[in-house]
Amino acid sequence: MAFEEHRSEIVSTTPYDGQKPGTSGLRKPVNVFMSNNYTQNFVQSILDAINTENDLLIIGGDGRYYVQEAVQIIIKMCAANGVKRLIVGQNGIFSTPAVSNLIRKHKASGGIILTASHNPGGINGDFGIKYNCENGGPAPEGVTNQIYERTKNIKQYKICPTLNVDIANIGANEYKVDGNTFRVEVIDSVADYSTLMKEIFDFPKLKTYVSNPSNKILIDAMNGVMGPYAKQIFIDELGAASDAVVHSTPLPDFGGEHPDPNLTYAAGLVKAMSSGDYVFGAAFDGDGDRNMILGHKAFFVTPSDSLAVIAANIELIPYFKKTGVKGFARSMPTAGAVDQVARKLNKNVYEVPTGWKFFGNLMDSNQLSLCGEESFGTGSDHIREKDGCWAVLAWLTILANTQLSVEELVKNHWKTFGRNFFTRYDYENCDAKKCDEMIARMEKIVADGSLLNTKYKIGNKESVIITNDNFEYKDPVDHSVSSRQGIRILFDDGSRIVLRLSGTGSQGATVRLYVDCYADDISVIEQESSEVLKPLVDIAIDLLKIKEYTGRDKPTVIT
Ligand code: VG1
Ligand code: CO
């Protein structure tokens, strides 16, 4: 067979400021990524920071505007940089969990994921590029810092401009680039992921539950990447009704919506669930790693509770019968509901900074099975990303086995373990300088210890501040230290106030205020969450001077 022959070229470029990956990759408005050499600079910096003797990289994204163009640029640059082989999703489509799985399955050197996750897309929206390492997880800070350093001094990049790969059709393509073989395999976006799910869960049992017309489910793919995955898994394989998945075509602009599965941005699902026609509902974000779980009549399960309920029922998931249950973990701002379960099951629970990359080492060293974040992220060590579809299948497994409703499960859980009330206030696109000042002020206050022993009347009891700091994490495996991960104010009754700035926004600063408290008193646990938390929220807004520094009376989003 004669291969197409191509030659690589070296192109001169100049650095861009601010190509620093945040909580999960580099995210900027689409027009920034489309500006002259911006994408090329960042991709070359990734390829330089990792070993370019790479055998195999996995490439794909969530279908948002500019994914296909970026995939073609990456293919041309990988070819020119001596990468030997690529696996690319058909039309450039892969969910984030699917990429993590493929990296692990093929023992690839890593993967490049094109997504800005829950950030809006389209020509006026955001784009993003993220590098995942050979364990399938987001690159740790050590690697992202190396990428960032290279972006600051980049002078040239390598590209093979004549190479155009047909990514619309499944198949293997081979080329000669500078005399070396370069192979691009375009594969079905869903097949490997669906196989993985079948290895983890009992599909025949799930099918009996899901295909029963009295257990109607509704899945909202939010016009993101999950449409094809959800249709295949829930409708084709588990026998849900043919209209059980909505917004199931990945659209470049997500239909103008915000692909973030919470009560504000997935309001359409909440409304449909309120009708009472469905026993279970779920939504995913743009790249398919987040999930929101709803019960009959839109009963809302907080992500902290979702993690805890899965933990308490983990033995029902066949995968864990094989692997055993190692520890649990959550990100620091996530309410400690899973901690209560860990105590009872006598398991370790780890508290890591915000961002999935911090769970990877614990999983790789067999210390962690199940973890989650308050930001609608849940997952396990089957891959190294949070996994929306996995979370939904975990919930359906629990429903099928217990024959309880979502609401009964959660309320029984509260009776057994107590309830962690949690809320997050987001103030989006604020003045970055003012927000830095707000953090700096709090850093000073927590450092001088003047808040310690301060008494507050929270509701009808008095609570005392017993700890305050700027959260620092020492990775128990590689001993790397991540400091300044969020201001924490902790009370003697377990109540907490946490403040940090988002690392995923693309404009201005987004302030995140997290407030949570714990109750096991039967008269409190079924009360309205917002009412229980109101006194503590008021204290937080006052203490942190949020209105003063953000200039906002109200948050943009409350979850
Ligand atoms: C947010 C969430 C965090 C999550 C991250 C990536 O980060 O708070 O929990 O891991 O998004 O989620 P930040 O820095 O904005 O608070 V997604 O679905 O990108 O991949
Ligand atoms: Co996401």
Side-chain angles (χ1 to χ4, degrees):
M1 190 160 100
F3 299 130
E4 272 183 37
E5 300 211 10
H6 296 272
R7 295 250 137 237
S8 63
E9 286 177 10
I10 292 176
V11 180
S12 302
T13 186
T14 50
Y16 280 94
D17 282 341
Q19 290 196 321
K20 187 173 168 55
T23 310
S24 187
L26 179 70
R27 296 183 192 184
K28 299 282 175 202
V30 164
N31 60 21
V32 173
F33 272 98
M34 287 172 73
S35 46
N36 195 26
N37 292 340
Y38 190 92
T39 297
Q40 288 83 343
N41 278 13
F42 191 66
V43 171
Q44 185 64 52
S45 300
I46 293 174
L47 295 173
D48 286 343
I50 62 178
N51 182 359
T52 40
E53 296 301 299
N54 289 295
D55 292 330
L56 170 63
L57 293 176
I58 313 293
I59 314 289
D62 61 10
R64 71 178 58 223
Y65 189 84
Y66 199 56
V67 162
Q68 301 219 9
E69 290 87 336
V71 166
Q72 292 292 358
I73 291 170
I74 291 168
I75 293 173
K76 291 179 166 74
M77 291 184 66
C78 285
N81 278 276
V83 178
K84 296 183 185 70
R85 189 178 151 217
L86 298 179
I87 292 179
V88 180
Q90 187 177 19
N91 295 315
I93 297 273
F94 276 141
S95 73
T96 294
V99 173
S100 186
N101 173 45
L102 286 164
I103 294 171
R104 297 168 65 74
K105 180 167 180 169
H106 294 281
K107 299 198 167 29
S109 313
I112 300 177
I113 309 179
L114 296 321
T115 175
S117 187
H118 55 284
N119 299 24
I123 192 157
N124 298 315
D126 281 349
F127 191 74
I129 301 185
K130 177 165 112 163
Y131 181 69
N132 279 32
C133 295
E134 62 193 0
N135 74 344
E141 281 178 342
V143 176
T144 54
N145 287 340
Q146 283 182 36
I147 296 171
Y148 178 48
E149 286 308 314
R150 285 177 164 82
T151 66
K152 293 198 269 188
N153 302 306
I154 188 162
K155 294 191 178 65
Q156 57 186 41
Y157 63 84
K158 287 189 223 154
I159 193 157
C160 184
T162 52
L163 182 74
N164 288 302
V165 179
D166 171 14
I167 58 170
N169 287 301
I170 290 173
N173 309 279
E174 275 196 359
Y175 308 90
K176 285 272 178 215
V177 176
D178 301 332
N180 301 316
T181 306
F182 176 63
R183 188 177 161 89
V184 181
E185 292 160 40
V186 179
I187 68 166
D188 181 279
S189 309
V190 181
D192 293 277
Y193 180 81
S194 142
T195 303
L196 175 69
M197 291 301 111
K198 283 185 208 138
E199 288 161 15
I200 294 172
F201 297 101
D202 181 345
F203 267 47
K205 183 163 209 163
L206 284 172
K207 185 167 186 173
T208 307
Y209 180 82
V210 172
S211 64
N212 181 338
S214 50
N215 296 329
K216 275 181 79 178
I217 67 168
L218 185 60
I219 307 288
D220 192 338
M222 309 272 282
N223 303 312
V225 76
M226 284 309 286
Y229 294 83
K231 279 202 295 199
Q232 179 166 330
I233 291 173
F234 298 106
I235 299 175
D236 300 348
E237 288 172 7
L238 297 178
S242 58
D243 56 359
V245 180
V246 295
H247 302 128
S248 60
T249 305
L251 299 177
D253 67 347
F254 305 116
E257 308 273 332
H258 209 126
D260 199 358
N262 58 43
L263 295 175
T264 304
Y265 294 129
L269 177 72
V270 175
K271 187 157 175 250
M273 291 294 297
S274 312
S275 69
D277 288 347
Y278 304 95
V279 301
F280 179 87
F284 304 115
D285 72 338
D287 64 327
D289 52 1
R290 297 184 178 205
N291 74 94
M292 177 172 74
I293 303 293
L294 298 177
H296 184 64
K297 294 204 166 156
F299 178 86
F300 172 63
V301 185
T302 69
S304 310
D305 278 348
S306 173
L307 173 63
V309 169
I310 296 173
N313 293 282
I314 194 161
E315 302 283 350
L316 299 176
I317 300 172
Y319 171 87
F320 296 108
K321 292 194 184 119
K322 280 180 273 168
T323 63
V325 180
K326 300 146 198 168
F328 300 132
R330 60 173 170 80
S331 64
M332 180 273 283
T334 305
V338 72
D339 304 32
Q340 310 291 343
V341 180
R343 202 161 299 140
K344 201 155 222 170
L345 300 182
N346 207 12
K347 302 283 176 200
N348 281 336
V349 57
Y350 301 89
E351 185 179 40
V352 310
T354 294
W356 211 261
K357 57 181 178 253
F358 293 105
F359 295 123
N361 278 344
L362 291 166
M363 289 181 175
D364 291 345
S365 60
N366 287 318
Q367 301 184 68
L368 174 57
S369 289
L370 172 76
C371 54
E373 294 192 275
E374 50 64 40
S375 53
F376 298 81
T378 328
S380 96
D381 64 349
H382 65 290
I383 52 171
R384 296 293 179 272
E385 287 278 6
K386 53 190 184 274
D387 188 343
C389 185
W390 178 93
V392 169
L393 292 169
W395 267 91
L396 290 172
T397 297
I398 298 169
L399 296 178
N401 276 281
T402 60
Q403 296 291 323
L404 295 171
S405 71
V406 172
E407 183 167 349
E408 284 164 343
L409 267 165
V410 171
K411 289 188 170 167
N412 289 347
H413 186 94
W414 294 340
K415 281 184 196 125
T416 312
F417 296 96
R419 178 174 177 191
N420 291 75
F421 293 90
F422 173 87
T423 190
R424 183 176 106 182
Y425 281 36
D426 293 333
Y427 301 80
E428 292 175 359
N429 203 0
C430 298
D431 184 284
K433 198 165 154 273
K434 285 299 242 175
C435 293
D436 288 340
E437 281 169 32
M438 174 167 73
I439 299 286
R441 170 178 172 269
M442 284 316 298
E443 282 181 326
K444 234 174 113 203
I445 289 176
V446 297
D448 73 20
S450 58
L451 278 180
L452 282 180
N453 301 320
T454 314
K455 295 191 178 74
Y456 279 95
K457 206 163 168 332
I458 306 178
N460 48 18
K461 62 177 189 219
E462 199 175 67
S463 304
V464 183
I465 296 178
I466 50 165
T467 311
N468 62 160
D469 60 9
N470 196 342
F471 184 61
E472 180 172 283
Y473 178 68
K474 185 168 177 196
D475 187 294
V477 180
D478 67 15
H479 308 296
S480 60
V481 174
S482 302
S483 49
R484 303 179 70 207
Q485 297 294 319
I487 303 290
R488 298 194 302 173
I489 299 169
L490 313 182
F491 294 82
D492 61 343
D493 63 353
S495 301
R496 303 190 309 162
I497 295 170
V498 173
L499 174 76
R500 57 181 284 281
L501 298 183
S502 157
T504 57
S506 66
Q507 268 149 335
T510 291
V511 176
R512 301 209 196 282
L513 165 66
Y514 313 78
V515 172
D516 70 281
C517 71
Y518 173 77
D520 54 8
D521 181 341
I522 205 85
S523 68
V524 180
I525 55 175
E526 287 203 18
Q527 283 177 23
E528 204 42 63
S529 173
S530 55
E531 304 217 331
V532 173
L533 289 168
K534 179 152 196 315
L536 196 56
V537 169
D538 289 344
I539 290 169
I541 290 174
D542 199 49
L543 186 69
L544 305 168
K545 294 195 189 286
I546 294 213
K547 288 186 184 165
E548 207 171 304
Y549 283 99
T550 63
R552 305 280 175 83
D553 263 351
K554 280 202 299 284
T556 324
V557 180
I558 299 180
T559 44

